[in-house]
Every structure is written in C-alpha cells, then in structure tokens.
Amino acid sequence: MDVFWYALVGLLLAGYLALESVDFGVGMLLPLADTETGRARMRRGVVPLFLANEVWLVAFAGLLFGALPLLEGELLSALRIPVVLLLTAWFLRDAALWFRTAHPGDRWRRAWDVVLPVSSLVLAAGWGAVLAALTRGLSTHGNGHAVATAGDLLHPFALLGAAVAVVGSLRQGSLFAGRGLPADTSLAVRLGRLDRVLTPVLLVLLAVTAAVGATVTDAPVAVAVVAVLAAAVVYGSGRLRAAGRTTAALVLGAAPLIALPVLVGAANGTTVLATRSGDGVLHLSRAIADSASLGLLTVTVLPFLIAVVLGQVWIWRVFGRADHHRTA
C-alpha cells in the first residue's frame, strides 16, 4: 500500500503536467498571433480550462502532505528557491490570463502579453528542470540534508528535462490552438509550420535524454526505457496529426510531460528523495504516513479524486472542443 500512495501522488503530478502543458504552450505561443483577434482567441481557448487543470496540482500538494508528510517538508526545504520561482510564475501566469481584459488600454494588454509567455516558459522549464534534477539526485548540504543547488538545476540532464517540457508544451499548445482555425489564416499557417518542426525536435530531445539519463542515473535501463517509450508515443502522435486526428494527437502528445515524473520513480524506486552522495536520502518506508492517516485518506481523498477526474472529463468535453473555441 505504501507504493500505491507514492504512485498516486506521482500520478496527480503527471496529470497536472499533461493538462497544463496545453496552457503552458498556448501561453508561450501568444506572440505568434499578430492580431488582437488572434491573441484574444488563444487566451479564450485556455481560460475555461486552466483553473480546472490546476486542481490536479492542489490535489498533488494535499495528498503529498497527507500521505508523505516527511517528504513534503524535505522537498520544500531542498527546493525552496525553485519552488518560489515556480509559485511566482504561476501567480503571474494566472494574473495575465485574468487581467488582460480587465482594462481596455492597449499598453495594459501589451504588458500582460509579455508576462503570459514569459511566465508560461518559466513554468514549463522550471518543472522540467526540477524533475530531471530529482531523477539524477540532489546535492547534500553541510548539515546532511538534500538541497537543489544551481549546479543541479543547470546540469545538462536538468536542462534536457527543461527543454523536453518546453518543446513538449509548445507542441501541445500549437495542436490545441490550431484546432478549428481556418487553414488559410496566418495564425493557422504559423502553428502548422511550428508543429512540423517541434515533433522531430522533441523526438531528438527524448533520444538524447535517454542516452544522457543512462549515464547519470543509477537505473540506466529504466530511465532509457521511459524516455524511448515517450518518444514512440510522440511519433505515433505525429502520425495521427498528419492524418488529421488532432484530438488523438493531443492526447498522445502529453507523453513527454507524463514521462518527467515517471523518470523520478524509474530512476530511484522507493527512494523518494535521492542524493548523489547518499547522505540525506529519504526512503518510502520512513516518509509514508501512519496507517490511521492513510485509512482516513482512503475514505476521504479517493472519492474526491474520482469526482475530480469525472469533472475534468466533463469540462474538457464542453470547453475543450474546437467548435467552442471558434464560436467563443
């Protein structure tokens, strides 16, 4: 059961990244729209969805606190600087989506049109770098506790994780924003060209991630398999996109974002917080909550999570359709 709760925490984070990759991507792609109508349309496409997507992050944080309380404290301590940066980017991204239309002035809109792509880029790259650093293992502070140093977050493997998250999100955003657009519009042409470039770039990045991950982690085979499988799914997504099955391509296109938290578990197993020195590591058996707390979570959290999944499916069916974007 300990592994079940750890896997469920990871599943919630993977779900958040998979869904939010669309929001990250659309936010980063906003400068491609050269008209106010195009920018407004891209924003309207994600506004009904992003708060529902963020429920997964809230659920992740809540379950992490309830099921793995010691891990949450250690992670917040080790990742305090990147966590502050991610929270700041999160607040700014949401503010840009909400406040862009709160004032009619052109300068007001242009200011938020800068904040939105920059904060979306920081969110995507930040999550990718943090998860890759956790996959490789953190440094150890002088007091024996794990800490994410600049060297950890700027290591080539961490930068690869950031690149995979950014390119994967850009591809998701281009697929999502391009649905329902007339093929002869300038924005549709730009998004189509970008998608044709991003797919092979993403495949190369995943292949390099598999190769580098096999040399810098303690589970080279597992890490390589996860990255290669993600690449295979992306390739299938590209074939579906070429066949005009954009929705199916969008679903499969989330694979690189899902792979990032999976890599942490594949590389470290039940070591829920790994360090390269071996000092300050945290194992699942020590991080898991007591049986009484887990029993309470079983009867309270699991029904809530089922309701969240059902609600998410309904929201995407209603607000995520291409015809909704076209008529909004």
Side-chain angles (χ1 to χ4, degrees), residues 83-210:
V83 164
V84 169
L85 291 175
L86 286 171
L87 286 175
T88 301
W90 180 19
F91 296 152
L92 288 173
R93 195 284 304 269
D94 286 13
L97 288 171
W98 283 121
F99 294 161
R100 186 183 187 275
T101 58
H103 190 277
D106 290 339
R107 293 180 62 184
W108 174 270
R109 287 197 299 269
R110 285 197 297 269
W112 290 114
D113 286 347
V114 173
V115 172
L116 180 56
V118 171
S119 57
S120 298
L121 174 63
V122 172
L123 279 169
W127 277 110
V130 165
L131 290 169
L134 290 172
T135 300
R136 175 173 170 259
L138 301 182
S139 299
T140 305
H141 197 275
N143 58 12
H145 290 282
V147 62
T149 64
D152 295 327
L153 298 172
L154 297 176
H155 185 273
F157 187 67
L159 295 179
L160 274 172
V164 167
V166 169
V167 176
S169 296
L170 284 171
R171 184 175 183 274
Q172 290 291 87
S174 67
L175 289 173
F176 184 82
R179 297 187 309 158
L181 280 176
D184 57 348
T185 62
S186 60
L187 181 57
V189 171
R190 292 191 186 98
L191 292 173
R193 289 174 180 170
L194 183 64
D195 178 58
R196 288 191 292 272
V197 172
L198 290 174
T199 300
V201 170
L202 187 55
L203 290 173
V204 171
L205 284 173
L206 287 168
V208 175
T209 299

Side-chain angles (χ1 to χ4, degrees), residues 232-320:
V233 175
V234 170
Y235 178 76
S237 173
R239 296 292 296 271
L240 289 171
R241 173 68 177 87
R245 300 175 61 184
T246 307
T247 300
L250 193 64
V251 173
L252 294 184
L257 283 300
I258 295 173
L260 288 170
V262 173
L263 282 173
V264 179
N268 302 316
T270 56
T271 300
V272 294
L273 182 59
T275 64
R276 295 187 307 282
S277 68
D279 296 328
V281 299
L282 183 62
H283 296 286
L284 179 60
S285 59
R286 191 161 66 91
I288 198 72
D290 59 81
S291 57
S293 298
L294 294 179
L296 181 62
L297 289 175
T298 301
V299 298
T300 57
V301 172
L302 292 183
F304 168 76
L305 293 180
I306 293 172
V308 167
V309 171
L310 294 176
Q312 190 84 56
V313 171
W314 179 83
I315 288 171
W316 272 81
R317 286 179 63 87
V318 173
F319 297 108

Side-chain angles (χ1 to χ4, degrees), residues 6-87:
Y6 182 43
L8 185 57
V9 168
L11 178 64
L12 290 174
L13 181 58
Y16 163 74
L17 292 173
L19 294 168
E20 275 287 87
S21 63
V22 170
D23 304 334
F24 297 160
V26 171
M28 288 186 283
L29 291 172
L30 189 70
L32 284 186
D34 54 0
T35 65
E36 175 58 27
T37 300
R39 289 188 289 271
R41 184 189 183 281
M42 291 181 73
R43 173 190 168 275
R44 286 198 306 268
V46 297
V47 163
L49 303 172
F50 78 98
L51 286 178
N53 297 341
E54 289 171 351
V55 170
W56 289 72
L57 181 61
V58 175
F60 160 75
L63 189 60
L64 181 64
F65 175 77
L68 301 160
L70 188 57
L71 175 60
E72 183 186 47
E74 292 291 332
L75 280 177
L76 288 177
S77 176
L79 302 172
R80 51 189 177 275
I81 294 178
V83 164
V84 169
L85 291 175
L86 286 171
L87 286 175

